mmCIF file of all heavy atoms in Angstrom:
data_model
loop_
_atom_site.group_PDB
_atom_site.id
_atom_site.type_symbol
_atom_site.label_atom_id
_atom_site.label_comp_id
_atom_site.label_asym_id
_atom_site.label_seq_id
_atom_site.Cartn_x
_atom_site.Cartn_y
_atom_site.Cartn_z
ATOM 1 N N ARG A 149 8.420 14.956 17.994
ATOM 2 C CA ARG A 149 7.440 15.351 19.016
ATOM 3 C C ARG A 149 6.355 16.251 18.428
ATOM 4 O O ARG A 149 5.674 16.957 19.155
ATOM 5 C CB ARG A 149 8.151 16.080 20.159
ATOM 6 C CG ARG A 149 9.268 15.278 20.817
ATOM 7 C CD ARG A 149 8.741 14.061 21.550
ATOM 8 N NE ARG A 149 9.806 13.267 22.142
ATOM 9 C CZ ARG A 149 10.333 13.487 23.342
ATOM 10 N NH1 ARG A 149 9.912 14.503 24.068
ATOM 11 N NH2 ARG A 149 11.294 12.710 23.803
ATOM 12 N N ASP A 150 6.191 16.239 17.117
ATOM 13 C CA ASP A 150 5.166 17.040 16.464
ATOM 14 C C ASP A 150 3.790 16.540 16.904
ATOM 15 O O ASP A 150 3.476 15.355 16.741
ATOM 16 C CB ASP A 150 5.321 16.902 14.947
ATOM 17 C CG ASP A 150 4.422 17.826 14.150
ATOM 18 O OD1 ASP A 150 3.298 18.105 14.594
ATOM 19 O OD2 ASP A 150 4.838 18.258 13.060
ATOM 20 N N PRO A 151 2.935 17.398 17.454
ATOM 21 C CA PRO A 151 1.639 16.933 17.964
ATOM 22 C C PRO A 151 0.701 16.420 16.883
ATOM 23 O O PRO A 151 -0.271 15.733 17.185
ATOM 24 C CB PRO A 151 1.065 18.176 18.647
ATOM 25 C CG PRO A 151 1.750 19.337 18.003
ATOM 26 C CD PRO A 151 3.126 18.849 17.685
ATOM 27 N N TRP A 152 0.966 16.745 15.610
ATOM 28 C CA TRP A 152 0.145 16.235 14.511
ATOM 29 C C TRP A 152 0.543 14.810 14.121
ATOM 30 O O TRP A 152 -0.227 14.116 13.453
ATOM 31 C CB TRP A 152 0.275 17.129 13.282
ATOM 32 C CG TRP A 152 -0.476 18.413 13.349
ATOM 33 C CD1 TRP A 152 0.016 19.649 13.641
ATOM 34 C CD2 TRP A 152 -1.890 18.605 13.111
ATOM 35 N NE1 TRP A 152 -0.985 20.601 13.599
ATOM 36 C CE2 TRP A 152 -2.167 19.988 13.266
ATOM 37 C CE3 TRP A 152 -2.938 17.749 12.774
ATOM 38 C CZ2 TRP A 152 -3.443 20.514 13.115
ATOM 39 C CZ3 TRP A 152 -4.213 18.269 12.617
ATOM 40 C CH2 TRP A 152 -4.460 19.641 12.787
ATOM 41 N N VAL A 153 1.743 14.387 14.488
ATOM 42 C CA VAL A 153 2.313 13.142 13.972
ATOM 43 C C VAL A 153 2.121 12.008 14.965
ATOM 44 O O VAL A 153 2.542 12.093 16.117
ATOM 45 C CB VAL A 153 3.813 13.331 13.656
ATOM 46 C CG1 VAL A 153 4.452 11.997 13.273
ATOM 47 C CG2 VAL A 153 3.981 14.341 12.524
ATOM 48 N N TRP A 154 1.480 10.953 14.501
ATOM 49 C CA TRP A 154 1.348 9.735 15.301
ATOM 50 C C TRP A 154 2.661 8.946 15.284
ATOM 51 O O TRP A 154 3.085 8.392 16.274
ATOM 52 C CB TRP A 154 0.207 8.872 14.745
ATOM 53 C CG TRP A 154 0.111 7.495 15.315
ATOM 54 C CD1 TRP A 154 0.670 6.359 14.817
ATOM 55 C CD2 TRP A 154 -0.589 7.104 16.512
ATOM 56 N NE1 TRP A 154 0.364 5.279 15.612
ATOM 57 C CE2 TRP A 154 -0.407 5.711 16.649
ATOM 58 C CE3 TRP A 154 -1.351 7.785 17.448
ATOM 59 C CZ2 TRP A 154 -0.971 4.995 17.713
ATOM 60 C CZ3 TRP A 154 -1.910 7.068 18.503
ATOM 61 C CH2 TRP A 154 -1.717 5.695 18.636
ATOM 62 N N GLU A 155 3.314 8.921 14.113
ATOM 63 C CA GLU A 155 4.551 8.163 13.980
ATOM 64 C C GLU A 155 5.329 8.693 12.776
ATOM 65 O O GLU A 155 4.742 8.960 11.736
ATOM 66 C CB GLU A 155 4.232 6.677 13.799
ATOM 67 C CG GLU A 155 5.415 5.756 13.938
ATOM 68 C CD GLU A 155 4.981 4.303 13.968
ATOM 69 O OE1 GLU A 155 4.293 3.855 13.028
ATOM 70 O OE2 GLU A 155 5.338 3.606 14.936
ATOM 71 N N GLU A 156 6.642 8.815 12.937
ATOM 72 C CA GLU A 156 7.473 9.333 11.859
ATOM 73 C C GLU A 156 8.439 8.248 11.376
ATOM 74 O O GLU A 156 9.649 8.445 11.328
ATOM 75 C CB GLU A 156 8.248 10.573 12.307
ATOM 76 C CG GLU A 156 8.784 11.380 11.122
ATOM 77 C CD GLU A 156 9.681 12.532 11.537
ATOM 78 O OE1 GLU A 156 10.427 12.375 12.534
ATOM 79 O OE2 GLU A 156 9.644 13.579 10.881
ATOM 80 N N LYS A 157 7.875 7.118 11.014
ATOM 81 C CA LYS A 157 8.661 6.081 10.360
ATOM 82 C C LYS A 157 8.656 6.378 8.861
ATOM 83 O O LYS A 157 7.619 6.241 8.216
ATOM 84 C CB LYS A 157 8.066 4.705 10.640
ATOM 85 C CG LYS A 157 8.323 4.186 12.050
ATOM 86 C CD LYS A 157 7.739 2.788 12.220
ATOM 87 C CE LYS A 157 8.151 2.181 13.547
ATOM 88 N NZ LYS A 157 7.546 0.827 13.732
ATOM 89 N N TYR A 158 9.795 6.737 8.332
ATOM 90 C CA TYR A 158 9.837 7.119 6.919
ATOM 91 C C TYR A 158 9.763 5.883 6.034
ATOM 92 O O TYR A 158 10.625 5.002 6.100
ATOM 93 C CB TYR A 158 11.090 7.922 6.585
ATOM 94 C CG TYR A 158 11.189 8.170 5.098
ATOM 95 C CD1 TYR A 158 10.184 8.880 4.434
ATOM 96 C CD2 TYR A 158 12.228 7.638 4.342
ATOM 97 C CE1 TYR A 158 10.235 9.071 3.058
ATOM 98 C CE2 TYR A 158 12.291 7.835 2.976
ATOM 99 C CZ TYR A 158 11.281 8.547 2.341
ATOM 100 O OH TYR A 158 11.323 8.715 0.986
ATOM 101 N N GLU A 159 8.734 5.844 5.180
ATOM 102 C CA GLU A 159 8.515 4.751 4.232
ATOM 103 C C GLU A 159 8.252 5.361 2.857
ATOM 104 O O GLU A 159 7.382 6.224 2.715
ATOM 105 C CB GLU A 159 7.315 3.898 4.654
ATOM 106 C CG GLU A 159 7.432 3.339 6.070
ATOM 107 C CD GLU A 159 6.122 2.730 6.570
ATOM 108 O OE1 GLU A 159 5.187 2.563 5.758
ATOM 109 O OE2 GLU A 159 6.035 2.436 7.778
ATOM 110 N N VAL A 160 8.956 4.906 1.854
ATOM 111 C CA VAL A 160 8.754 5.409 0.499
ATOM 112 C C VAL A 160 7.293 5.259 0.079
ATOM 113 O O VAL A 160 6.716 6.136 -0.571
ATOM 114 C CB VAL A 160 9.687 4.676 -0.484
ATOM 115 C CG1 VAL A 160 9.298 4.953 -1.929
ATOM 116 C CG2 VAL A 160 11.142 5.089 -0.249
ATOM 117 N N ASP A 161 6.674 4.144 0.450
ATOM 118 C CA ASP A 161 5.301 3.893 0.014
ATOM 119 C C ASP A 161 4.312 4.896 0.585
ATOM 120 O O ASP A 161 3.248 5.128 -0.004
ATOM 121 C CB ASP A 161 4.873 2.474 0.391
ATOM 122 C CG ASP A 161 4.947 2.230 1.886
ATOM 123 O OD1 ASP A 161 6.033 1.884 2.370
ATOM 124 O OD2 ASP A 161 3.925 2.394 2.567
ATOM 125 N N SER A 162 4.625 5.511 1.735
ATOM 126 C CA SER A 162 3.720 6.505 2.308
ATOM 127 C C SER A 162 3.547 7.703 1.381
ATOM 128 O O SER A 162 2.491 8.337 1.377
ATOM 129 C CB SER A 162 4.247 6.986 3.665
ATOM 130 O OG SER A 162 4.248 5.940 4.607
ATOM 131 N N LEU A 163 4.571 8.018 0.626
ATOM 132 C CA LEU A 163 4.494 9.108 -0.342
ATOM 133 C C LEU A 163 3.953 8.631 -1.689
ATOM 134 O O LEU A 163 3.290 9.386 -2.402
ATOM 135 C CB LEU A 163 5.880 9.732 -0.529
ATOM 136 C CG LEU A 163 6.526 10.291 0.736
ATOM 137 C CD1 LEU A 163 7.913 10.850 0.421
ATOM 138 C CD2 LEU A 163 5.663 11.358 1.369
ATOM 139 N N ALA A 164 4.223 7.376 -2.036
ATOM 140 C CA ALA A 164 3.827 6.879 -3.349
ATOM 141 C C ALA A 164 2.327 6.618 -3.453
ATOM 142 O O ALA A 164 1.697 6.942 -4.466
ATOM 143 C CB ALA A 164 4.595 5.594 -3.670
ATOM 144 N N PHE A 165 1.732 6.058 -2.405
ATOM 145 C CA PHE A 165 0.338 5.632 -2.525
ATOM 146 C C PHE A 165 -0.645 6.779 -2.719
ATOM 147 O O PHE A 165 -1.572 6.658 -3.535
ATOM 148 C CB PHE A 165 -0.056 4.759 -1.335
ATOM 149 C CG PHE A 165 0.119 3.288 -1.608
ATOM 150 C CD1 PHE A 165 1.310 2.647 -1.319
ATOM 151 C CD2 PHE A 165 -0.900 2.549 -2.177
ATOM 152 C CE1 PHE A 165 1.484 1.302 -1.582
ATOM 153 C CE2 PHE A 165 -0.744 1.195 -2.446
ATOM 154 C CZ PHE A 165 0.449 0.564 -2.147
ATOM 155 N N PRO A 166 -0.518 7.908 -2.026
ATOM 156 C CA PRO A 166 -1.434 9.006 -2.344
ATOM 157 C C PRO A 166 -1.300 9.501 -3.774
ATOM 158 O O PRO A 166 -2.301 9.888 -4.392
ATOM 159 C CB PRO A 166 -1.034 10.087 -1.329
ATOM 160 C CG PRO A 166 -0.500 9.315 -0.164
ATOM 161 C CD PRO A 166 0.253 8.179 -0.795
ATOM 162 N N LEU A 167 -0.084 9.493 -4.328
ATOM 163 C CA LEU A 167 0.082 9.888 -5.728
ATOM 164 C C LEU A 167 -0.572 8.872 -6.657
ATOM 165 O O LEU A 167 -1.188 9.241 -7.663
ATOM 166 C CB LEU A 167 1.566 10.034 -6.064
ATOM 167 C CG LEU A 167 2.314 11.176 -5.370
ATOM 168 C CD1 LEU A 167 3.775 11.190 -5.809
ATOM 169 C CD2 LEU A 167 1.676 12.523 -5.665
ATOM 170 N N LEU A 168 -0.447 7.586 -6.338
ATOM 171 C CA LEU A 168 -1.134 6.567 -7.129
ATOM 172 C C LEU A 168 -2.642 6.783 -7.096
ATOM 173 O O LEU A 168 -3.316 6.730 -8.130
ATOM 174 C CB LEU A 168 -0.808 5.171 -6.602
ATOM 175 C CG LEU A 168 0.587 4.603 -6.845
ATOM 176 C CD1 LEU A 168 0.717 3.254 -6.153
ATOM 177 C CD2 LEU A 168 0.872 4.454 -8.323
ATOM 178 N N LEU A 169 -3.173 7.020 -5.895
ATOM 179 C CA LEU A 169 -4.613 7.214 -5.753
ATOM 180 C C LEU A 169 -5.073 8.446 -6.521
ATOM 181 O O LEU A 169 -6.127 8.424 -7.176
ATOM 182 C CB LEU A 169 -4.987 7.332 -4.283
ATOM 183 C CG LEU A 169 -6.473 7.544 -3.970
ATOM 184 C CD1 LEU A 169 -7.313 6.365 -4.456
ATOM 185 C CD2 LEU A 169 -6.682 7.770 -2.470
ATOM 186 N N ALA A 170 -4.306 9.520 -6.455
ATOM 187 C CA ALA A 170 -4.681 10.759 -7.152
ATOM 188 C C ALA A 170 -4.757 10.537 -8.655
ATOM 189 O O ALA A 170 -5.685 11.021 -9.324
ATOM 190 C CB ALA A 170 -3.675 11.859 -6.826
ATOM 191 N N HIS A 171 -3.788 9.816 -9.209
ATOM 192 C CA HIS A 171 -3.804 9.551 -10.650
ATOM 193 C C HIS A 171 -4.960 8.627 -11.024
ATOM 194 O O HIS A 171 -5.649 8.844 -12.028
ATOM 195 C CB HIS A 171 -2.480 8.935 -11.085
ATOM 196 C CG HIS A 171 -2.444 8.556 -12.525
ATOM 197 N ND1 HIS A 171 -2.604 7.251 -12.940
ATOM 198 C CD2 HIS A 171 -2.303 9.307 -13.657
ATOM 199 C CE1 HIS A 171 -2.559 7.208 -14.266
ATOM 200 N NE2 HIS A 171 -2.363 8.436 -14.726
ATOM 201 N N ARG A 172 -5.197 7.616 -10.217
ATOM 202 C CA ARG A 172 -6.269 6.672 -10.526
ATOM 203 C C ARG A 172 -7.640 7.319 -10.374
ATOM 204 O O ARG A 172 -8.573 6.964 -11.109
ATOM 205 C CB ARG A 172 -6.127 5.430 -9.643
ATOM 206 C CG ARG A 172 -4.868 4.652 -9.963
ATOM 207 C CD ARG A 172 -4.604 3.490 -9.021
ATOM 208 N NE ARG A 172 -3.299 2.897 -9.318
ATOM 209 C CZ ARG A 172 -2.807 1.821 -8.713
ATOM 210 N NH1 ARG A 172 -3.514 1.213 -7.763
ATOM 211 N NH2 ARG A 172 -1.618 1.344 -9.041
ATOM 212 N N PHE A 173 -7.766 8.250 -9.443
ATOM 213 C CA PHE A 173 -9.018 9.002 -9.322
ATOM 214 C C PHE A 173 -9.280 9.781 -10.609
ATOM 215 O O PHE A 173 -10.405 9.784 -11.132
ATOM 216 C CB PHE A 173 -8.945 9.950 -8.127
ATOM 217 C CG PHE A 173 -10.154 10.836 -7.982
ATOM 218 C CD1 PHE A 173 -11.270 10.396 -7.307
ATOM 219 C CD2 PHE A 173 -10.171 12.104 -8.545
ATOM 220 C CE1 PHE A 173 -12.402 11.210 -7.185
ATOM 221 C CE2 PHE A 173 -11.278 12.920 -8.436
ATOM 222 C CZ PHE A 173 -12.400 12.474 -7.752
ATOM 223 N N TRP A 174 -8.265 10.442 -11.128
ATOM 224 C CA TRP A 174 -8.402 11.189 -12.382
ATOM 225 C C TRP A 174 -8.760 10.245 -13.529
ATOM 226 O O TRP A 174 -9.639 10.554 -14.349
ATOM 227 C CB TRP A 174 -7.103 11.927 -12.667
ATOM 228 C CG TRP A 174 -7.030 12.543 -14.031
ATOM 229 C CD1 TRP A 174 -7.705 13.638 -14.485
ATOM 230 C CD2 TRP A 174 -6.242 12.088 -15.133
ATOM 231 N NE1 TRP A 174 -7.383 13.907 -15.798
ATOM 232 C CE2 TRP A 174 -6.485 12.962 -16.217
ATOM 233 C CE3 TRP A 174 -5.345 11.036 -15.308
ATOM 234 C CZ2 TRP A 174 -5.861 12.809 -17.453
ATOM 235 C CZ3 TRP A 174 -4.723 10.878 -16.539
ATOM 236 C CH2 TRP A 174 -4.986 11.761 -17.595
ATOM 237 N N ALA A 175 -8.115 9.087 -13.594
ATOM 238 C CA ALA A 175 -8.393 8.135 -14.660
ATOM 239 C C ALA A 175 -9.828 7.618 -14.587
ATOM 240 O O ALA A 175 -10.464 7.365 -15.610
ATOM 241 C CB ALA A 175 -7.415 6.962 -14.594
ATOM 242 N N ALA A 176 -10.349 7.480 -13.360
ATOM 243 C CA ALA A 176 -11.692 6.933 -13.182
ATOM 244 C C ALA A 176 -12.784 7.967 -13.402
ATOM 245 O O ALA A 176 -13.910 7.618 -13.774
ATOM 246 C CB ALA A 176 -11.828 6.343 -11.778
ATOM 247 N N THR A 177 -12.482 9.250 -13.174
ATOM 248 C CA THR A 177 -13.531 10.268 -13.190
ATOM 249 C C THR A 177 -13.320 11.369 -14.220
ATOM 250 O O THR A 177 -14.275 12.028 -14.638
ATOM 251 C CB THR A 177 -13.650 10.950 -11.817
ATOM 252 O OG1 THR A 177 -12.439 11.687 -11.557
ATOM 253 C CG2 THR A 177 -13.877 9.931 -10.716
ATOM 254 N N GLY A 178 -12.086 11.621 -14.588
ATOM 255 C CA GLY A 178 -11.786 12.761 -15.444
ATOM 256 C C GLY A 178 -11.755 14.082 -14.703
ATOM 257 O O GLY A 178 -11.455 15.132 -15.290
ATOM 258 N N ARG A 179 -12.033 14.076 -13.402
ATOM 259 C CA ARG A 179 -12.026 15.322 -12.624
ATOM 260 C C ARG A 179 -10.600 15.793 -12.393
ATOM 261 O O ARG A 179 -9.679 15.006 -12.200
ATOM 262 C CB ARG A 179 -12.750 15.125 -11.286
ATOM 263 C CG ARG A 179 -14.240 15.020 -11.429
ATOM 264 C CD ARG A 179 -14.945 14.865 -10.105
ATOM 265 N NE ARG A 179 -14.781 16.009 -9.210
ATOM 266 C CZ ARG A 179 -15.504 16.176 -8.096
ATOM 267 N NH1 ARG A 179 -16.440 15.286 -7.764
ATOM 268 N NH2 ARG A 179 -15.310 17.226 -7.319
ATOM 269 N N THR A 180 -10.458 17.108 -12.378
ATOM 270 C CA THR A 180 -9.124 17.692 -12.218
ATOM 271 C C THR A 180 -9.054 18.694 -11.068
ATOM 272 O O THR A 180 -8.033 19.361 -10.904
ATOM 273 C CB THR A 180 -8.696 18.398 -13.514
ATOM 274 O OG1 THR A 180 -9.660 19.412 -13.842
ATOM 275 C CG2 THR A 180 -8.583 17.412 -14.668
ATOM 276 N N ASP A 181 -10.128 18.792 -10.250
ATOM 277 C CA ASP A 181 -10.094 19.790 -9.172
ATOM 278 C C ASP A 181 -8.973 19.531 -8.169
ATOM 279 O O ASP A 181 -8.539 20.438 -7.465
ATOM 280 C CB ASP A 181 -11.426 19.896 -8.409
ATOM 281 C CG ASP A 181 -12.459 18.852 -8.727
ATOM 282 O OD1 ASP A 181 -12.257 18.043 -9.630
ATOM 283 O OD2 ASP A 181 -13.481 18.868 -8.054
ATOM 284 N N HIS A 182 -8.515 18.272 -8.086
ATOM 285 C CA HIS A 182 -7.466 17.946 -7.121
ATOM 286 C C HIS A 182 -6.069 18.107 -7.697
ATOM 287 O O HIS A 182 -5.090 18.049 -6.956
ATOM 288 C CB HIS A 182 -7.643 16.504 -6.648
ATOM 289 C CG HIS A 182 -7.434 15.469 -7.728
ATOM 290 N ND1 HIS A 182 -8.089 15.507 -8.942
ATOM 291 C CD2 HIS A 182 -6.634 14.359 -7.780
ATOM 292 C CE1 HIS A 182 -7.717 14.475 -9.681
ATOM 293 N NE2 HIS A 182 -6.828 13.771 -9.002
#
Side-chain angles (χ1 to χ4, degrees):
R149 303 294 178 86
D150 187 326
W152 284 100
V153 173
W154 170 267
E155 192 171 56
E156 197 186 35
K157 285 182 172 178
Y158 174 60
E159 304 169 10
V160 168
D161 59 275
S162 295
L163 302 179
F165 266 90
L167 293 180
L168 288 176
L169 180 62
H171 176 258
R172 294 174 186 183
F173 176 86
W174 170 72
T177 66
R179 287 182 63 168
T180 58
D181 9 354
H182 66 308

